[in-house]
Amino acid sequence: MSYDVLIVGAGAAGMSCALVLGSAKNKPFAIDKKIGIIAHQKTSHLQNALFNNVLGLKQGTLGSDILKQGKAQLKFNYPHVTQIDNEKVSLIEETDQGFKINTNKTSYNSKLVVVAVGYTSLITIKGLEDYIEPHPRANAEKDRIWLNNTDHKVKDNLYVAGTLAGWRSQFSIASGSGAQVATDILTLWNRGKHTKIHDKITV
C-alpha cells in the first residue's frame, strides 16, 4: 500500500494532523492525495489524562474518551483518510520514492512521513536513531527524547509532531503541533503557497 503521507501515531498530535489534512479533501492540490494514519494509541499520555483546563472541553473530560472520539470523528468526517489499526511501526527507511514503513504485520510506502508517537526513551522504531536527542523541554530525570528538527522537519519529507518534536506534554500544545505539520504539508502540496484550512458555516 502506498500513500502520499503516512502519519505514525494517533495521539493528540497525530490525530490533529490527520483531521486537518483530511479536511482539505476538496482543495485541488489535495483532492487526489492518499492519506493514512497508523492509529496506534496505547502509549499516548492521553490514556490517563483528565482535563479541567482545556478551552472548549467539558470539565472532567477523559483523555481516553478524546482518543476514541477522535478516531470516530476522523472516520465520520473524512473517511478517505485510512485508519490502520492494531499495527505498530518497527522501521522507517528512506527509499528512492520516499519511505518504507514496516509494522508488526506488513509494510507501506509513503512519499511523506509524520512521526507523532510519544517522547519516551522506549521508542523502538529503527531508522530514527540518528535524530534522537535528550528532550529540550523535559526534566532530565524523566529521560524524555525528541527527534532533532527544525520547525517540525527532521529532513526532507520526514516530519515530527507533538512531544517528540520537542514540545511540552500539554494537550493543546501537542494538538497544535500536529495541526502545524498538517498546514506545512498542505503548503508543500499547494506549491509553497501558505495554506490553512478549516470548515465554515454555510449561509
Side-chain angles (χ1 to χ4, degrees), residues 92 94 99 112-117 123 125 127-133 145-167 177 181 184-185:
I92 297 174
E94 193 168 13
F99 294 90
L112 305 173
V113 172
V114 179
V115 183
V117 298
I123 189 168
I125 301 174
L128 301 178
E129 300 91 344
D130 289 346
Y131 312 108
I132 293 176
E133 295 181 2
I145 60 168
W146 77 316
L147 295 188
N148 191 327
N149 68 90
T150 301
D151 295 331
H152 293 100
K153 185 184 275 190
V154 177
K155 63 184 301 185
D156 285 347
N157 304 320
L158 178 63
Y159 296 83
V160 60
T163 55
L164 194 62
W167 300 107
S177 173
V181 171
D184 287 348
I185 290 171

Side-chain angles (χ1 to χ4, degrees), residues 13 19 51 73 90 107 109 123 133 140 191 197:
L19 286 164
F51 291 109
Q73 178 184 358
S90 58
S107 65
N109 295 299
I123 189 168
E133 295 181 2
R191 299 183 179 184
I197 190 84

Side-chain angles (χ1 to χ4, degrees), residues 4-5 7 16-35 78 80-81 112 114 153 157 159 177-199:
D4 289 286
V5 58
I7 302 161
S16 295
C17 186
L19 286 164
V20 172
L21 289 175
S23 70
K25 65 183 186 300
N26 294 324
K27 297 295 183 181
F29 55 83
I31 199 166
D32 62 342
K33 301 299 184 187
K34 193 167 180 64
I35 303 162
Y78 313 117
H80 63 289
V81 177
L112 305 173
V114 179
K153 185 184 275 190
N157 304 320
Y159 296 83
S177 173
Q180 175 70 53
V181 171
T183 58
D184 287 348
I185 290 171
L186 293 177
T187 297
L188 177 70
W189 287 347
N190 199 15
R191 299 183 179 184
K193 182 178 180 181
H194 287 290
T195 303
K196 59 184 177 65
I197 190 84
H198 54 80
D199 299 322

Side-chain angles (χ1 to χ4, degrees), residues 1-8 21 32-39 79-85 87 95 97-101 103 106-114 157 185 189:
M1 186 73 71
S2 294
Y3 293 92
D4 289 286
V5 58
L6 186 61
I7 302 161
V8 178
L21 289 175
D32 62 342
K33 301 299 184 187
K34 193 167 180 64
I35 303 162
I37 180 168
I38 297 180
H80 63 289
V81 177
T82 303
Q83 293 190 50
I84 303 166
D85 292 311
E87 294 188 33
T95 68
Q97 290 76 38
F99 294 90
K100 177 183 177 183
I101 301 93
T103 74
T106 188
S107 65
Y108 304 92
N109 295 299
S110 186
K111 295 175 183 175
L112 305 173
V113 172
V114 179
N157 304 320
I185 290 171
W189 287 347

